[in-house]
Amino acid sequence: MKIVIGCDHAGFPLKREIADFVAGLGHAVTDVGSHTPDPVDFPDIARAVCAAVTGGAADRGLMICGTGVGAAIAANKIRGIRAAVCHDFHSAHQAVEHDDVNVMCVGAQIVGPWLARDLVAAYLAAEFEPSEDFKRRVDKLAQLEREG
């Protein structure tokens, strides 16, 4: 898969390790920043990550900030994005399997590198389960997006 990764300054120390891990799994990785530990606004990084996903340059996105919350809020403002904060293994794979999440957000101040690797591996290995129930619910999410 083609994966785009981005972070703010709080996620900067973890991002390189996760990008290397994802590449080691055999995925192509595009890093859209931040490229320094200097303060940066996470909505700008969310825009870059999500543009790659919605534009087809990436199959899925990863965002790393302090808690993952701000990144998820920003990403979910962008049409076509379904982002979720995942800090446990079950959510990391079920978000894709049931909700077709295409951007996973992780809090570098919440999880350590070893757990982040497990979460990312689960997220990237998961596939959307195309049952009628899950397809209907994801379609309703798209409808909410169009109406909002």
Side-chain angles (χ1 to χ4, degrees), residues 9-117:
H9 49 283
F12 181 76
L14 181 58
K15 183 191 65 165
R16 175 55 25 216
E17 184 169 340
I18 295 302
D20 290 345
F21 173 73
V22 171
L25 293 174
H27 302 288
V29 178
T30 301
D31 181 345
V32 296
S34 176
H35 300 291
T36 72
D38 298 331
V40 62
D41 295 335
F42 63 83
D44 297 332
I45 301 300
R47 182 185 313 273
V49 167
C50 295
V53 173
T54 60
D59 300 305
R60 293 192 192 161
L62 290 166
M63 290 190 56
I64 304 168
C65 70
T67 64
V69 174
I73 292 169
N76 279 313
K77 298 291 183 187
I78 298 172
R79 188 175 305 275
I81 295 298
R82 288 171 306 285
V85 177
C86 298
H87 290 155
D88 66 272
F89 182 81
H90 183 71
S91 296
H93 66 82
Q94 189 170 344
V96 174
E97 294 164 354
H98 292 194
D99 304 311
D100 204 16
V101 161
N102 53 12
V103 174
M104 184 172 80
C105 304
V106 174
Q109 296 167 339
I110 308 299
V111 303
W114 62 270
L115 179 54
R117 287 189 300 270

Side-chain angles (χ1 to χ4, degrees), residues 115-138:
L115 179 54
R117 287 189 300 270
D118 288 348
L119 299 174
V120 168
Y123 166 68
L124 296 178
E127 295 181 16
F128 181 61
E129 295 177 15
S131 76
E132 288 304 316
D133 287 342
F134 298 143
K135 286 194 299 189
R136 183 182 66 252
R137 292 171 188 147
V138 170

